[in-house]
Amino acid sequence: MRVVRKQLLTQVLHGTADANIRFDDLRSLLTALGFVERVKGSHHIFTKPDVVEILNLQPRGPLAKPYQVKQVRAVIVRYKLAEGAQ
């Protein structure tokens, strides 16, 4: 995983800057963690075979919505996806 994505993963996991995460960066992080993205209108839907939850994200301008960053963090922590990314 590239250094930039590792920094973003750390930022997402700490939860101190949820309102300042760029949407495109969050998308690339999820893709790097093995999620598959499909787009339907403004909805970016991320799935992964071993993850029950479906992440449905929409941008707010260039940024991700803070509550959706929180949902992403919860999935990363619940399924210990950060451990394989380090």
Side-chain angles (χ1 to χ4, degrees):
M1 183 178 273
R2 290 184 9 207
V3 173
V4 174
R5 287 196 193 119
K6 284 185 181 182
Q7 291 172 347
L8 179 63
L9 178 61
T10 301
Q11 189 177 14
V12 168
L13 291 175
H14 282 123
T16 56
D18 288 355
N20 294 317
I21 303 289
R22 293 187 50 78
F23 184 75
D24 288 339
D25 293 343
L26 189 61
R27 286 178 54 224
S28 68
L29 175 65
L30 287 170
T31 302
L33 291 173
F35 284 84
V36 175
E37 176 185 21
R38 76 171 203 256
V39 180
K40 189 168 187 174
S42 65
H43 294 256
H44 295 254
I45 301 157
F46 293 87
T47 57
K48 185 172 174 154
D50 296 336
V51 175
V52 176
E53 290 88 345
I54 296 171
L55 295 169
N56 184 357
L57 309 178
Q58 305 89 36
R60 178 184 291 157
L63 301 176
K65 295 179 180 180
Y67 80 92
Q68 292 176 344
V69 175
K70 185 177 179 181
Q71 291 173 343
V72 169
R73 177 173 44 256
V75 168
I76 290 172
V77 170
R78 183 175 301 124
Y79 292 94
K80 300 178 181 164
L81 300 175
E83 292 173 7
Q86 299 293 333

